[in-house]
Amino acid sequence: MNQKFFTDIKNIRNAIDTNKLVVFAGAGISVDAGIPSWGTLIDEMKSEIAIPPNEVDFLRIAQMYYNDRQQKEYIDKVRSVLKHKKAKYNEIHEWIFQLNPEHILTTNYDDLLEQVIQKESLPFSVVSKDKEFPYALNTNLLVKVHGDLND
């Protein structure tokens, strides 16, 4: 193994020991729990509306779907494809908390990290909107950067 690997491990260990570890968790952590990728969600949207064949910008496609179907159908589609309230967390979600992070930032809409917080009674406040920061009851935060499927 190269020196960079050992340096990275040392830095992570130091962050854990000094209560400064912040974990960033993206969509990959939920794939094994059956949550489809962003690409799969976009493919589902593309199959239901007229999209120019050369359009590959996922954000633009999502916006086109929203514009065509409006908010309710858009939210219903996202919730359906991402298995809202139907998926269960996996070992990766549990392992993240075993690292004892101060905070977790996630781009995921799902509630799988929250399921672990609830099951283990962990002292984390979930923040899915900017206006919730001042009302967090715990110093440990799960920050849902893009919000969540409940709201």
Side-chain angles (χ1 to χ4, degrees), residues 46 49-57 61 64:
K46 283 171 53 174
I49 62 171
I51 300 286
N54 61 341
E55 184 58 69
V56 294
D57 184 323
I61 293 167
M64 293 169 144

Side-chain angles (χ1 to χ4, degrees), residues 16-29:
I16 292 169
D17 292 343
T18 59
N19 298 322
K20 294 182 179 176
L21 181 66
V22 176
V23 172
F24 179 85
I29 68 166

